[in-house]
Amino acid sequence: QCLVAMAAKVSREDVTAALAGLLFLKLSVQEKSKLLGHVGTAPDWPVILSFTRQALRSPDAAATLRVHFLKHMSVINAALETQMYLGGTQLCVADFACYVAVHAAYAGFNDDHKWALCNLSRWFDMIQHSISDFTPPDALRCSTIEFAYDAPDVLPTVDSLMATQPAAAQPPAAAGSAKADAAGTKPAAAGAPAESKDGEKKENAEKGGKKEKKEKKEKRAAEPEEGKKKKPKVEEPVVEAKKEKKEKKEKKANKEEKADKEEKAEEAAAVTTEKEEKKDKKDKKEKKE
């Protein structure tokens, strides 16, 4: 009853706002309309790619923003309570774009808790098994997420997703607890190894950043000295191009000059021939007389 009541409150604007959050985009009115447009039998993959250009594809990155993802995924989950696809009864651009956007988040959920978002999980599993029929580009191909299809009678809460890890990543709690009890100490929190690992990554990234800044600074300091020692050379291709242009210009001038001389010679020859013809006619006329 609670889910039905929430679904009734989810508007088209709520859905597009949640999609914008999952895609990490600021959408215009036209883009929101395009997202909910039907794809038909031939999806416009370049358009779908443009909507997923900033989507997180790393499960580790998605896990650090789990609160953000669950906030928007809960809205989509409620909207899908009364419809099969995000656009209603037919596949739309948002179905494929949202599938790519939430894939990393689902990869980090424990199998027993995925049904906390039962409507979204049903939709996600349907899309991941049907997208290949439309031959998507490699950039939009995602690995298959496994689901336990026998949903529990009492569905887990959305809050339970906050504290879970994928089954493969969870430490053996029972053994750890027994050892901790025997030693009289408390077992380490499930998130501790991940926090330690994240701390190491952050520290390494900071060291790498400082080293890179130092190298850039040294390089900038060395550039003026190198500039004093070496004078920039004129690139050979530029010299060759100028030389070739000059030769072409000279050839053209020579050709025009030659053509002009030939034309004048032809005119002179024509005048001479005409004079000779007139003279011959005059001689013939005089002889006849």
Side-chain angles (χ1 to χ4, degrees):
Q1 290 177 347
C2 181
L3 281 172
V4 172
M6 186 176 179
K9 295 178 182 178
V10 178
S11 65
R12 182 187 178 96
E13 189 61 32
D14 292 332
V15 172
T16 53
L19 288 169
L22 293 170
L23 294 166
F24 294 91
L25 294 173
K26 186 175 181 180
L27 302 173
S28 65
V29 176
Q30 291 79 6
E31 287 172 328
K32 289 177 182 179
S33 179
K34 188 179 289 186
L35 258 180
L36 297 178
H38 296 158
V39 296
T41 56
D44 190 341
W45 293 118
V47 170
I48 297 170
L49 273 168
S50 71
F51 280 118
T52 60
R53 64 187 182 275
Q54 292 184 180
L56 288 185
R57 306 298 291 272
S58 164
D60 290 337
T64 62
L65 295 174
R66 188 165 287 182
V67 173
H68 172 86
F69 272 92
L70 288 177
K71 172 187 173 183
H72 297 299
M73 289 169 73
S74 296
V75 176
I76 302 297
N77 180 68
L80 289 168
E81 168 71 14
T82 57
Q83 58 195 54
M84 183 171 287
Y85 301 107
L86 292 175
T89 58
Q90 293 180 300
L91 269 170
C92 63
V93 172
D95 287 301
F96 292 131
C98 186
Y99 161 70
V100 174
V102 301
H103 183 276
Y106 262 104
F109 291 159
N110 187 295
D111 217 26
D112 295 334
H113 292 265
K114 289 172 186 171
W115 293 111
L117 299 166
C118 57
N119 304 312
L120 185 63
S121 293
R122 178 264 305 161
W123 165 88
F124 181 91
D125 194 45
M126 177 177 62
I127 297 298
Q128 77 170 344
H129 285 101
S130 61
I131 190 172
S132 59
D133 296 337
F134 295 90
T135 319
D138 291 340
L140 293 176
R141 292 181 184 274
C142 302
S143 59
T144 302
I145 301 295
E146 298 297 329
F147 281 87
Y149 292 110
D150 294 328
D153 293 333
V154 179
L155 296 177
T157 63
V158 174
D159 290 340
S160 71
L161 290 169
M162 287 300 302
T164 64
Q165 292 177 296
Q170 286 186 338
S177 178
K179 289 179 182 178
D181 290 342
T185 58
K186 291 183 179 180
E195 289 173 6
S196 175
K197 194 172 181 181
D198 289 342
E200 289 177 9
K201 286 182 179 178
K202 188 176 180 180
E203 186 178 347
N204 291 336
E206 288 176 355
K207 287 181 180 178
K210 288 179 181 178
K211 186 178 178 182
E212 189 178 348
K213 285 181 180 178
K214 186 179 179 182
E215 289 175 354
K216 285 182 178 179
K217 190 175 180 181
E218 290 174 353
K219 187 176 179 181
R220 281 197 297 268
E223 280 175 358
E225 294 298 325
E226 291 178 2
K228 291 177 183 178
K229 293 177 183 178
K230 295 181 181 180
K231 291 184 179 180
K233 293 182 179 180
V234 179
E235 295 182 3
E236 290 184 5
V238 176
V239 175
E240 290 294 328
K242 288 183 177 179
K243 187 177 179 182
E244 187 178 345
K245 188 176 181 181
K246 186 178 179 181
E247 288 176 354
K248 284 183 178 179
K249 191 174 181 180
E250 289 176 354
K251 284 181 181 179
K252 186 179 179 181
N254 291 337
K255 191 175 180 181
E256 289 176 352
E257 186 179 352
K258 187 178 178 181
D260 190 43
K261 285 181 179 180
E262 288 176 354
E263 187 178 348
K264 286 181 179 179
E266 286 176 1
E267 288 177 357
V271 170
T272 303
T273 304
E274 188 178 353
K275 285 181 178 180
E276 288 177 352
E277 286 177 355
K278 285 182 178 180
K279 187 179 179 183
D280 288 343
K281 286 181 179 179
K282 187 177 180 181
D283 291 343
K284 286 179 181 180
K285 186 177 180 181
E286 289 176 355
K287 284 180 181 181
K288 191 175 180 182
E289 290 176 350

